[in-house]
């Protein structure tokens, strides 16, 4: 079988498009799960690259998914990265050899100007016309060949949510002439007159190609009437968020019980099977009791991410930003801050990275500084543990008391964030006025494939954490907790005499005023690496505090009988602020390029946590005695 | 949607006039153009001009509100409609431009002059 000679080097492709054009769906379809997510050198803009092999001649491709951009004149860091990459101005990033510009067929008026801007750069360009089923269903008309003629670049139809179209796309891509020269390094931002000329050219081309814009669907317009209603809109938003947090608690109950039972069974089986001794204790008390108690929260984290991904994919989030703009404006934040802050409910790290869509530096910094106050999923294990141990599981009206307490904790985080933002914008980050200009994309059904890939990514990250950082810390903690061995003739549990016991007791001096015993004080130390590790640490500490047979007993009843309610509430209050998350601080450092902001952040969070826990403990102690 | 836009486009492509002029549309525009920021929910019209608004939209000096408005398609002759306002104060507002919906504050909307339809 004769094969055409194939270049050994994979061809570098870049995927460009305005936000919401269906670019990510095409990227996912072309590359499947062969994706690498990293950062561009020096900035926290996420760099997504995937590889695949072409259908015809075995040509390999490396596809770079550039951040969505409306224009080559950037207003956000995302757009700046896209421009710099295309113009070859990005250090450590070779400019792409071919550019694929994805355009949404239902909204060519908005999409085509970028195509003309890219075409004029003189790079080999191909237009992927994203034909959603929506477009066909709604009386959309377009002469593709004519469009191709008018644009002077190949136009290929793709249906981003179904297979098909890629083959044609790649064949046309391979037929493109190679880049003639380096893209215009002297590219200048167009003048206003030039922009208007380009816009007129877009309209002329669309007219020539017989383009009829599909009508917006009546049902969706009615939905917007409701969702963006000045009164009903915020009510719907509040109800939606409340539902998500209730679901995180109630839907996860069954799978969590299953994971818990599995971990307990494994621990008991291993305990019985291995000869008694140090190895037995390390595996059962250290690894399984420690890492297992964090693993239990996987279902809740996946459910939370599921909802965030659905909201993101459906087009609802920008509407929420619109609804909240005034409220967020009252504390000095932009409505745009809503999206990063919502992501921070899952994890502050992606949340802080998402602040790159906020155009102004001071707005962005203020958002970064309050992002860790949003209740991230790593706090969920701590909340869930304490709530399960101390808050009765009984119905309150249509709701559940445990769910209500959890909701209150989330609200406390939000209120704290607003107050901090207000204080920051009044003082250090005082800034002049910043505009809001936001596209509200049409609603669409979330794409199942994107949803699954997104959840899969989260699952991988979580398991990697459990398998690496958390596991390692658990083992270290086990050593600290097991050595030195108690002196002969001692009566108390062995851990009291260990290094961990000593550390815990010296820290207790600091934390006793807020009601923490030495076990909690000790658990806060490995909790520095990641908040949820505190739960694993408590698992290890309490597991080692018990003698022999109680090992299999779970943590919940154990803390329920050894802590007072005031201590439990104080720990909850501590965790509303809880500065201890190294990954967040590292991301803030990288994001702001200095240690100043992470240090300020850690300092103010620690102070607030201590104050809040102190007040809570004193009030609760007074009320419960 | 309205056939108006296409005929306008065709007109413009053959003319050397500045784009700021009011398009000579074949139906009644009775009032002089008003600022988009003064329009309430339900108001319809066509863009007649985008004024210079030096407010930067990001941290780079080139990215001004006016530039981004033009890039997003707020160019003379485009039909728009105010479809929603928030409460209280009606700020920000949501505007449908052609087939796309945008959220913007009244202050940004001040840069867009609109020939209001009807009355």
């Amino acid at each position: 079988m004769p094969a055409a000679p194939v270049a050994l080097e994979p061809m570098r492709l870049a995927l460009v498009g305005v936000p919401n054009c269906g670019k990510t769906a095409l990227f996912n379809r072309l590359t499947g799960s062969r994706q690498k997510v990293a950062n561009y050198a020096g900035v926290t803009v996420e760099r997504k690259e995937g590889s695949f092999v072409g259908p015809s001649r075995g040509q390999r491709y490396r596809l770079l998914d550039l951040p969505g951009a409306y224009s080559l004149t950037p207003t956000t860091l995302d757009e700046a990265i896209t421009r710099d990459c295309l113009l070859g101005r990005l250090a450590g990033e070779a400019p792409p050899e071919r550019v694929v510009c994805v355009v949404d067929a239902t909204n060519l008026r908005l999409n085509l100007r970028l195509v003309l801007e890219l075409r004029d750069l003189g790079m080999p360009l191909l237009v992927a016309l994203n034909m959603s089923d929506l477009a066909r269903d709604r009386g959309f008309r377009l002469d593709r060949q004519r469009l191709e003629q008018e644009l002077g670049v190949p136009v290929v139809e793709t249906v981003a949510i179904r297979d098909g179209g890629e083959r044609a796309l790649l064949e046309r891509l391979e037929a493109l002439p190679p880049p003639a020269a380096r893209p215009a390094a002297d590219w200048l931002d167009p003048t206003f007159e030039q922009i208007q000329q380009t816009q007129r050219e877009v309209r002329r081309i669309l007219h020539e190609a017989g383009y009829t814009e599909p009508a917006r669907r009546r049902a969706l317009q009615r939905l917007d009437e409701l969702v963006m209603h000045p009164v009903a809109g915020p009510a719907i938003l509040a109800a939606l968020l409340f539902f998500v947090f209730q679901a995180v608690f109630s839907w996860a109950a069954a799978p969590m019980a299953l994971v818990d039972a599995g971990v307990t069974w494994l621990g008991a089986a291993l305990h019985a099977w291995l000869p008694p001794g140090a190895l037995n204790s390390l595996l059962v008390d250290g690894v399984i009791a420690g890492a297992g108690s964090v693993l239990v929260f996987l279902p809740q984290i996946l459910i939370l991410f599921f909802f965030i991904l659905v909201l993101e994919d459906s087009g609802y989030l920008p509407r929420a930003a619109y609804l909240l703009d005034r409220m967020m404006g009252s504390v000095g934040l932009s409505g745009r801050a809503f999206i990063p802050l919502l992501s921070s409910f899952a994890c502050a790290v992606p949340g802080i990275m998402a602040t790159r869509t906020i155009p102004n530096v001071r707005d962005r910094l203020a958002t970064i500084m309050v992002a860790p106050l949003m209740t991230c999923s790593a706090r969920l294990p701590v909340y869930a543990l304490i709530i399960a141990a101390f808050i009765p599981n009984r119905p309150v009206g249509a709701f559940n008391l445990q769910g209500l307490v959890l909701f209150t904790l989330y609200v406390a985080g939000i209120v704290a964030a607003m107050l901090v933002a207000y204080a920051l914008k009044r003082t250090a980050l005082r800034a002049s006025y910043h505009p809001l200009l936001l596209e509200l994309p049409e609603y669409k059904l979330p794409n199942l494939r994107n949803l699954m890939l997104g959840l899969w990514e989260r699952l991988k990250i979580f398991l990697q954490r459990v398998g690496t950082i958390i596991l390692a810390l658990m083992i270290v903690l086990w050593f600290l907790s097991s050595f030195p061995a108690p002196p002969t003739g001692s009566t108390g549990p062995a851990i009291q005499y260990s290094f961990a016991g000593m550390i815990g007791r010296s820290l207790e001096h600091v934390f006793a005023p807020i009601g923490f015993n030495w076990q909690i004080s000790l658990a806060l130390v490995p909790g520095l690496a990641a908040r949820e590790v505190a739960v694993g640490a408590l698992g290890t500490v309490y597991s080692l505090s018990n003698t022999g047979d109680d090992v299999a007993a779970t943590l919940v009843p154990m803390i329920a009988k050894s802590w007072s309610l005031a201590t439990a509430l104080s720990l909850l209050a501590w965790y509303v602020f809880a500065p201890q998350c190294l990954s967040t601080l590292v991301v803030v450092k990288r994001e702001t390029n200095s240690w100043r902001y992470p240090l300020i952040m850690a300092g103010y969070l620690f102070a607030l946590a201590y104050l809040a826990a102190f007040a809570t403990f004193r009030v609760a102690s007074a009320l419960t005695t | 949607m309205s056939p108006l836009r296409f005929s306008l486009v065709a007109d413009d492509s053959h003319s050397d006039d500045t784009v700021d002029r009011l398009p000579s549309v074949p139906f009644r525009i009775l009032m002089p153009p008003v600022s988009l920021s003064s329009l309430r929910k339900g108001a319809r019209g066509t863009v007649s001009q985008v004024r210079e608004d030096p407010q930067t939209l990001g941290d780079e000096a080139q990215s001004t509100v006016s530039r981004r408005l033009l890039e997003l398609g707020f160019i003379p002759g485009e039909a728009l409609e105010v479809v929603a306002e928030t409460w209280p104060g009606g700020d920000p507002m949501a505007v449908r431009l052609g087939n796309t919906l945008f959220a913007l504050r009244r202050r940004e909307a001040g840069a867009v002059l609109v020939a209001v339809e009807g009355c």
Side-chain angles (χ1 to χ4, degrees):
Chain A
M1 212 170 67
V6 169
L8 289 173
E9 278 298 301
M11 190 186 278
R12 293 190 312 277
L13 309 178
L15 211 52
V16 204
V18 305
N20 315 307
C21 66
K23 190 165 61 69
T24 306
L26 181 63
F27 178 75
N28 284 342
R29 244 218 354 267
L30 282 170
T31 62
S33 54
R34 296 171 301 279
Q35 302 180 2
K36 264 197 334 212
V37 181
N39 283 333
Y40 290 95
V43 284
T44 41
V45 174
E46 201 172 69
R47 183 185 187 279
K48 266 173 88 176
E49 193 183 65
S51 60
F52 60 95
V53 178
S56 53
R57 292 177 301 158
Q59 168 73 49
R60 287 181 303 140
Y61 295 94
R62 275 171 48 197
L63 181 62
L64 186 60
D65 188 15
L66 287 172
Y70 288 107
S71 161
L72 290 178
T73 307
T75 62
T76 61
L77 193 52
D78 266 7
E79 290 182 333
I81 288 286
T82 296
R83 176 198 61 187
D84 290 347
C85 181
L86 289 171
L87 294 180
R89 292 181 188 170
L90 210 57
E93 196 76 53
E97 295 167 274
R98 306 278 193 280
V99 177
V100 178
C101 185
V102 183
V103 297
D104 175 3
T106 65
N107 201 357
L108 285 181
R109 278 164 181 278
L110 182 68
N111 280 248
L112 223 49
R113 201 194 62 84
L114 181 67
V115 174
L116 295 185
E117 215 169 23
L118 291 169
R119 183 192 67 184
D120 295 343
L121 282 183
M123 305 183 74
L125 177 70
L126 181 140
V127 173
L129 189 64
N130 177 17
M131 290 287 298
S132 56
D133 292 336
L134 255 61
R136 285 187 210 282
D137 292 350
R138 287 185 290 155
F140 153 90
R141 271 207 343 259
L142 177 74
D143 182 345
R144 187 193 57 79
Q145 278 184 326
R146 191 65 202 270
L147 180 65
E148 195 169 287
Q149 257 172 28
E150 292 290 337
L151 286 173
V153 298
V155 176
V156 181
E157 282 181 25
T158 62
V159 184
I161 43 173
R162 270 193 282 108
D163 288 318
E166 291 105 74
R167 200 188 166 89
L169 186 142
L170 292 171
E171 278 166 2
R172 298 289 299 269
L173 203 66
E174 282 172 11
L176 281 181
R182 299 269 304 185
D186 54 349
W187 185 83
L188 289 175
D189 296 305
T191 63
F192 285 11
E193 186 45 45
Q194 283 169 325
I195 298 172
Q196 299 198 23
Q197 255 165 25
T198 314
Q199 291 285 32
R200 285 196 296 271
E201 173 70 0
V202 165
R203 278 137 187 91
R204 187 193 66 77
I205 290 173
L206 289 177
H207 183 66
E208 291 295 322
Y211 180 59
T212 52
E213 224 161 34
R216 276 175 95 99
R217 283 197 293 197
R218 293 295 289 272
L220 292 182
Q221 287 194 28
R222 286 217 195 87
L223 184 61
D224 257 344
E225 288 277 308
L226 198 63
V227 165
M228 296 174 58
H229 187 271
V231 179
I236 291 171
L237 176 60
L240 208 60
L241 293 179
F242 189 75
F243 170 77
V244 168
F245 295 127
Q246 284 280 324
V248 164
F249 232 69
S250 54
W251 295 7
M256 282 173 76
L258 211 65
V259 177
D260 193 35
V263 169
T264 311
W265 174 84
L266 191 67
L270 216 58
H271 184 64
W273 178 66
L274 284 169
L279 182 66
N280 187 322
S281 175
L282 170 65
L283 289 180
V284 176
D285 299 327
V287 174
I288 293 178
S293 53
V294 178
L295 202 60
V296 168
F297 297 97
L298 181 62
Q300 287 188 330
I301 288 163
L302 287 184
I303 290 174
L304 185 63
F305 268 109
F306 169 80
F307 280 112
I308 287 180
L309 288 170
V310 166
L311 287 178
E312 209 170 83
D313 226 17
S314 65
Y316 180 74
L317 285 188
R319 284 164 173 85
Y322 157 81
L323 288 170
L324 290 173
D325 183 64
R326 194 167 180 92
M327 196 173 91
M328 313 221 4
S330 67
V331 297
L333 293 175
S334 147
R336 278 180 185 265
F338 174 72
I339 296 167
L341 291 182
L342 186 70
S343 311
S344 301
F345 278 110
C347 176
V349 172
I352 286 167
M353 286 167 64
T355 60
R356 61 177 189 254
T357 55
I358 300 174
N360 179 265
V361 157
R362 279 161 181 260
D363 278 4
R364 188 153 168 254
L365 273 175
T367 310
I368 288 173
M369 292 304 268
V370 300
L373 288 171
M374 299 294 121
T375 304
C376 66
S377 53
R379 258 173 272 196
L380 212 48
V382 184
Y383 287 173
L385 174 76
I386 301 171
I387 287 173
F390 288 92
I391 309 297
N393 185 8
R394 61 180 166 82
V396 178
F399 307 112
N400 166 299
L401 184 61
Q402 293 188 333
L404 280 177
V405 170
L406 186 72
F407 187 69
T408 311
L409 289 166
Y410 276 88
V411 171
I414 296 168
V415 171
M418 299 233 126
L419 293 177
V420 171
Y422 184 76
L424 280 175
K425 292 295 287 194
R426 278 289 156 131
T427 55
L429 296 174
R430 180 187 285 275
S432 54
Y433 174 79
H434 298 299
L436 177 86
L437 188 48
L438 202 62
E439 185 194 347
L440 306 175
E442 188 154 289
Y443 295 105
K444 64 181 175 43
L445 277 178
N447 176 341
L448 198 64
R449 185 187 207 129
N450 293 347
L451 211 60
M452 287 303 132
L453 276 171
L455 278 183
W456 174 240
E457 214 166 86
R458 286 298 132 194
L459 181 75
K460 267 196 318 207
I461 292 170
F462 181 79
L463 290 181
Q464 266 167 14
R465 264 160 84 98
V466 170
T468 54
I469 308 174
I470 295 181
L471 187 66
L473 281 166
M474 287 307 128
I475 293 173
V476 169
L477 189 67
W478 176 85
F479 272 104
L480 288 176
S481 309
S482 304
F483 300 99
T488 44
S490 62
T491 49
I495 192 170
Q496 276 187 14
Y497 305 94
S498 66
F499 293 120
M502 296 172 213
I503 297 171
R505 260 192 304 278
S506 53
L507 282 176
E508 201 184 353
H509 297 302
V510 180
F511 291 111
I514 60 174
F516 294 180
N517 58 20
W518 67 266
Q519 288 96 334
I520 301 177
S521 309
L522 175 62
L524 292 180
V525 176
L528 275 174
R531 294 187 180 95
E532 68 268 38
V533 175
V535 169
L538 283 172
T540 303
V541 172
Y542 274 102
S543 165
L544 285 167
S545 302
N546 283 283
T547 37
D549 303 337
D550 290 355
V551 167
T554 49
L555 199 50
V556 170
M558 213 131 48
I559 66 168
K561 69 171 189 256
S562 59
W563 297 356
S564 70
L565 181 61
T567 294
L569 294 179
S570 167
L571 188 57
L572 284 179
W574 172 271
Y575 262 94
V576 169
F577 301 98
Q580 65 267 47
C581 174
L582 286 182
S583 11
T584 302
L585 296 176
V586 168
V587 165
V588 174
K589 193 256 156 188
R590 225 176 29 187
E591 190 74 28
T592 59
N593 251 326
S594 93
W595 279 108
R596 189 169 156 219
Y597 291 100
L599 287 176
I600 295 174
M601 180 186 274
Y604 98 77
L605 286 174
F606 186 85
L608 284 181
Y610 200 90
L611 281 175
F614 184 80
T616 306
F617 182 64
R618 293 294 144 181
V619 171
S621 299
L623 291 179
T624 50
T625 50
Chain B
M1 309 274 291
S2 83
L4 161 68
R5 240 171 303 147
F6 285 127
S7 59
L8 253 182
V9 165
D11 276 354
D12 275 358
S13 63
H14 299 302
S15 87
D16 308 323
D17 284 358
T18 60
V19 287
D20 292 350
R21 85 198 150 81
L22 262 179
S24 51
V25 285
F27 64 49
R28 57 214 165 99
I29 292 171
L30 302 173
M31 298 193 301
V34 295
S35 162
L36 175 58
S37 62
S38 67
L39 297 183
R40 306 308 304 253
K41 180 169 186 249
R44 294 160 180 266
T46 50
V47 177
S48 61
Q49 188 193 343
V50 171
R51 281 194 295 214
E52 188 77 45
D53 178 346
Q55 182 73 49
T56 55
L57 195 53
D59 299 310
E60 298 198 34
Q62 299 92 333
S63 56
T64 61
V65 169
S66 316
R67 175 182 287 272
R68 189 41 63 99
L69 283 168
L70 288 173
E71 287 170 345
L72 292 177
F74 285 82
I75 59 162
E78 292 290 302
L80 61 71
E81 178 187 355
V82 180
V83 296
E85 302 172 315
T86 49
W87 183 84
D91 196 16
M93 66 204 295
V95 173
R96 186 189 322 287
L97 177 82
N99 230 12
T100 322
L101 203 56
F102 294 100
L104 71 172
R105 295 202 200 109
R106 300 257 168 202
R107 188 151 165 183
E108 286 76 81
V112 182
L113 291 186
V114 181
V116 180
E117 180 183 307
C119 308

